[in-house]
Structures are given as structure tokens and as C-alpha cells.
Amino acid sequence: MNNITIVVAEASFLIQEGLNNILKKLGDNQVIQKMDKGEGLFESLGTLKPNMLILNPDLFDGNADLIKQECGKLKNSKLVLISNAKDIDKKYSADAFIHYYDGQAKILECLETLKSDLLKTQKKEKSDEPISAREKNILKHIALGLTNKEIADTLFISIHTVVTHRKNITQKLGIKSVSGLTVYAILNNLIAMDEVK
Amino acid sequence: MRITKDMKMADVIQMNYMLIPVIYRFGINLGFGDKTVTEICGGAEVDLNFFLQMVNTYHDKDYFPKEELQSIPSKDIVAYLKMTHSSYLNEKLSEIEVLIEELQHAEFEDEKYILLIRNFFEGYKNELTEHIMHEEELVFPYVLAVEEICEARSISDRNRKLYESFSIAEYQEGHDDVEEKLMDLKTIMIKYLTPPLNKNLYHKIIQLLFMLEQDLNYHSRIEDKVLVPKMIAMEKIITELN
């Protein structure tokens, strides 16, 4: 599945296509945005929230401070810099560096490491486990049409806890909408069909 | 492979059958013989450039017309999108609905589960309809007004009202949510529901849901990649105008 979302910012079409090819081999990822100029890149990252940003610093004329400042805002994403310069790892800080003359094996290896790191963090969000008894209880209340606040009040827990549970339920089941969750709850006899408003 | 004006229309469809409904929305019917894309478009009075941009955007998700895009009038794009909308409302949705109803009548033991699916689909249908209405009543008039302002280089009272009522950034924000329910429906049918006795019908419904989702994705790609960038550029021009 396309678990890892990637934004590529690179001016050279040939390098972009080369990267594309390697990313296809890497698998489990999806390039959600490609850019060939720096303009608008950092503004769009806030909404795109990619797991990985592959960037050529030349797009910003090698402005290390700007890149450092903007990429520092990216939480939970990996930054990969592509460059022709030998001492790139001294000039910038990033999770990985790709040099123009790196071979395929080396680039793949470097990206594999980042990918497994990312997948580990995603795993921590427990995507494959069955939902717990506690979560079933929350799910039942969601299906009954209660709001987060109402669920929190009924179960004497904080809204924040309810939100966290909801997030986990959605991730485990792969169902996002309330009506979808309701159908699941009925199918699994958490609530009866005539209880639904 | 890029679709070009000299290709045979029949080859285009052989290459990607998902384009059948697309060309139909342009008013082009099957049975092309050996005619090329240019010849077919000429015969159907379809703007060749526009046609090529559209089918290529549908066909190749990495295709992104940039310069060509500026030359296509928004009103043509809007007219096309409206055709797509009406095909969803009048054909695709009811096609699936009819099959679900059929399933409901064919079953006795699990009828209540089918009812769940049916209600869920109804909910989705309403949501999509609402979304489409929103686009047709608010977004498209806005798009047309913006284009008119840009062409005339001045703002009429009517257009000013439309222009100030909305911005394309607002549109981008709400654009992802519609597909959520459709994905949930597929997940439920694939992962959680015990299939009913009439498996053929059940499988057919799932396949249609996949095709609808794919078509919707293509459709929103046109909106996001062609219409939105165009609007952003035009909004900029208007801001400078003021």
C-alpha cells in the first residue's frame, strides 16, 4: 500500500524521473507533490504533511538558514537533500543526503532505512491490531450518535482521551466516517439496528 | 503514453477504457473506424486542444498541462465538469443503487445487513449530491465571474458580489472529504460484511464502487490540477487590478 507520502522538489526533470524510478522500486510510497521550483513549496507543506521531503537546496540558491528554519517546522517527516556538492552534509542538517553520482543501490539503501523508520512509527499507531474492549465501548457511543464531549462526560474521561481513542479506532478498522463506524458497530453487535438515530 | 492528435481514436480507447465515459461526455460516440483524434474532434465540434488536455490529465496521473492550460477558457472546463456531474447524478449513482436494491430483494436471511449497506449508500449519495450542488451553485458561478473580470479588466456590480462571496482557497479546503464515505463502504464490504448468497451481484457492486471512485479521482484531478491553478492565477491578476 502507499503508506509513505513524499514531496519531491527538484528542478531537473531528469533527476526527478530518476528519483521516480527509484521510489517505484522502493514501494510502499506515493509522491503526492512534485515541484520544479521553490516558490510555494514551504507554504504547501503545512497542508500536504508529507512523511518525507526530498529537496534540492539549489531551489533556494543554497540558502541554508531558510531551509533549516522551514524544514525545522516539519514534525514527524524525514528530510532528504539532493545535491551535487561534496560537502553538503556539512552545510545542512538532514536525515539523509543523496549525491548526484550515488549508485542505485546506495540510494535505495538510504531510502530503505528512512522507510523502515517511518513504518515503525506508523506501526506504533497500532494499525493491525483488533480494537480493545475500551475502544469497543467508545465506538458504541460514537455509533449511538454522541459527540466527543458527550462521550467524555458519560465515561468520565477527558475529551482528549476520546479523540485519541477515536483516532486509534479509525486507524485499526480503516473506517473514517461516523456512518461507516456505525455500520461496523451494528455488524459486530455493539449496538442494535433500531438504536441508531 | 501521451495521447496525441494523430492517434486513432480507437487506439486511445484500447489503451484506456476508462476514457469511454470521458469522450462520451464530450458528445463523442463509439464506432470511430480508423479516424484520428483530430478527425473525430472536428466532426463532433470539440476543441482539439481542450480534448487532448482533458484525456491526458485523465489518462496519466503525472501529466500536468502548464502552459497549454492557460489557453483553455474556464467556461469550457466548467461545462465539461457539469457534464460529469450529471453523469454521476443521473447514471452512476442510480446504477449502483438499483443493484443494491436488487440484492435486497434477492435475499431473505441477511436482509437487515443489506439494508445497512443501502442506507449507507443513500447517505453517501446525498453527500455527493450536496457537494455537486455546492460546486454548481457557488463554485462554478464564481469561476465564471473571475474569468469575466479578468477578460474585461473591470468588475461589474454583479461580478463583484460573486467575487467577494468566495475564494478558491475555500474550495481547496473542503475538497477531500467526499471520498471518505465511499472508501468506508468499500472497506466494510470487503473486510467486515459476510457476503450474501448472491455473490455475483455483490461482487459487481464492489467493482462498480471501485470504478466510481476511480472516475471521481480523475474528475477531481481536473478540478485540482486544471481549474484551481487557473483560478489562483486569475485571483492574483484581479488583486493587482484593484
Side-chain angles (χ1 to χ4, degrees):
Chain A
M1 291 304 286
N2 301 324
N3 287 324
I4 296 173
T5 54
I6 303 179
V7 169
V8 175
E10 160 67 55
S12 154
F13 178 71
L14 283 178
I15 294 178
Q16 256 193 30
E17 284 302 293
L19 256 177
N20 238 351
N21 197 352
I22 290 177
L23 289 173
K24 269 191 193 130
K25 291 204 172 98
L26 182 71
D28 255 351
N29 66 71
Q30 187 188 12
V31 177
I32 48 171
Q33 177 90 300
K34 266 188 226 162
M35 307 194 75
D36 54 11
K37 47 182 189 287
E39 201 181 306
L41 170 69
F42 293 133
E43 290 79 357
S44 65
L45 289 178
T47 35
L48 291 170
K49 294 196 179 65
N51 299 125
M52 197 189 288
L53 169 65
I54 305 181
L55 168 74
N56 190 330
D58 293 350
L59 289 182
F60 298 94
D61 303 318
N63 185 340
D65 287 336
L66 176 73
I67 292 171
K68 195 175 167 190
Q69 187 200 339
E70 291 294 333
C71 293
K73 291 183 197 159
L74 283 173
K75 281 176 197 136
N76 311 319
S77 350
K78 301 279 182 190
L79 174 66
V80 181
L81 296 178
I82 320 173
S83 175
N84 196 13
K86 277 212 178 68
D87 54 349
I88 175 162
D89 47 337
K90 294 193 185 72
K91 193 170 169 198
Y92 306 99
S93 58
D95 296 292
F97 299 94
I98 298 175
H99 193 266
Y100 282 10
Y101 297 108
D102 282 347
Q104 172 169 298
K106 191 177 170 196
I107 300 175
L108 260 178
E109 191 188 302
C110 145
L111 293 175
E112 285 280 2
T113 317
L114 296 182
K115 177 181 149 187
S116 61
D117 270 4
L118 284 166
L119 289 180
K120 246 183 248 159
T121 20
Q122 284 184 0
K123 270 269 162 52
K124 263 190 210 135
E125 291 161 2
K126 312 167 196 166
S127 52
D128 294 329
E129 291 167 37
I131 56 172
S132 67
R134 185 62 167 168
E135 282 159 357
K136 269 187 191 159
N137 193 16
I138 307 263
L139 176 56
K140 184 179 153 184
H141 287 83
I142 297 173
L144 288 171
L146 271 66
T147 63
N148 285 347
K149 170 111 185 23
E150 286 164 346
I151 297 173
D153 290 346
T154 320
L155 300 177
F156 303 106
I157 53 179
S158 74
I159 291 191
H160 179 75
T161 313
V162 179
V163 171
T164 311
H165 279 305
R166 273 187 100 128
K167 212 176 120 212
N168 288 337
I169 293 169
T170 293
Q171 244 161 21
K172 287 178 180 180
L173 298 181
I175 302 176
K176 283 184 183 159
S177 64
V178 175
S179 38
L181 291 170
T182 309
V183 172
Y184 179 88
I186 296 173
L187 288 176
N188 289 276
N189 299 318
L190 297 177
I191 59 167
M193 215 157 155
D194 47 23
E195 281 180 275
V196 184
K197 273 167 236 155
Chain B
M1 195 166 95
R2 184 77 58 88
I3 297 164
T4 59
K5 66 180 169 50
D6 297 322
M7 283 171 80
K8 285 182 185 166
M9 191 65 103
D11 291 343
V12 173
I13 298 301
Q14 293 275 8
M15 199 160 74
N16 185 348
Y17 69 90
M18 286 294 289
L19 291 173
I20 294 176
V22 179
I23 63 162
Y24 179 66
R25 283 166 209 153
F26 276 101
I28 297 173
N29 282 311
L30 299 178
F32 324 110
D34 283 322
K35 288 194 182 129
T36 62
V37 171
T38 312
E39 287 163 351
I40 296 273
C41 283
E45 290 178 8
V46 171
D47 184 90
L48 180 66
N49 177 34
F50 179 48
F51 181 84
L52 285 173
Q53 301 312 323
M54 286 294 147
V55 288
N56 276 308
T57 314
Y58 261 74
H59 173 62
D60 173 6
K61 70 175 165 47
D62 295 327
Y63 181 73
F64 192 177
K66 271 184 188 149
E67 294 81 23
E68 299 96 328
L69 177 145
Q70 302 303 331
S71 62
I72 301 168
S74 305
K75 69 169 173 23
D76 287 352
I77 301 175
V78 166
Y80 174 79
L81 291 173
K82 277 189 175 170
M83 285 290 284
T84 328
H85 283 165
S86 87
S87 99
Y88 292 144
L89 295 183
N90 302 328
E91 289 156 34
K92 308 249 167 185
L93 287 174
S94 39
E95 189 183 358
I96 297 171
E97 206 173 18
V98 166
L99 291 184
I100 295 178
E101 272 171 39
E102 208 177 301
L103 196 61
Q104 208 180 1
H105 294 311
E107 291 298 322
F108 301 101
E109 43 196 336
D110 287 333
E111 204 174 321
K112 78 167 196 180
Y113 294 139
I114 312 296
L115 183 65
L116 276 179
I117 294 293
R118 187 173 168 183
N119 289 343
F120 190 86
F121 186 74
E122 289 297 312
Y124 168 70
K125 187 182 155 189
N126 292 340
E127 208 168 272
L128 184 64
T129 310
E130 207 173 287
H131 175 80
I132 287 177
M133 288 306 158
H134 168 77
E135 287 187 353
E136 303 223 337
E137 281 161 15
L138 193 70
V139 184
F140 292 168
Y142 172 79
V143 167
L144 296 178
V146 166
E147 187 168 62
E148 227 175 272
I149 297 171
C150 274
E151 272 169 7
R153 300 268 151 188
S154 71
I155 311 181
S156 67
D157 286 345
R158 184 179 152 267
N159 279 344
R160 180 177 296 279
K161 216 172 150 196
L162 277 168
Y163 177 67
E164 282 167 359
S165 69
F166 194 67
S167 84
I168 210 69
E170 265 175 69
Y171 174 68
Q172 277 174 296
E173 264 175 33
H175 205 209
D176 300 331
D177 312 332
V178 215
E179 266 104 85
E180 205 173 76
K181 269 206 175 116
L182 185 57
M183 288 197 283
D184 283 357
L185 181 55
K186 277 166 44 207
T187 307
I188 288 169
M189 290 178 82
I190 294 168
K191 281 178 85 177
Y192 301 117
L193 206 69
T194 324
L197 288 175
N198 193 340
K199 304 237 174 356
N200 273 337
L201 195 52
Y202 193 67
H203 295 169
K204 200 167 163 190
I205 294 171
I206 296 180
Q207 283 168 343
L208 281 176
L209 289 173
F210 268 98
M211 276 167 72
L212 176 64
E213 187 183 21
Q214 201 179 352
D215 202 81
L216 280 166
N217 281 340
Y218 285 173
H219 173 74
S220 43
R221 206 152 67 216
I222 306 261
E223 293 174 335
D224 295 340
K225 283 190 165 182
V226 182
L227 199 59
V228 169
K230 222 175 139 75
M231 281 301 111
I232 291 175
M234 285 187 168
E235 281 178 351
K236 220 171 167 181
I237 295 177
I238 297 180
T239 325
E240 282 158 14
L241 215 65
N242 279 337

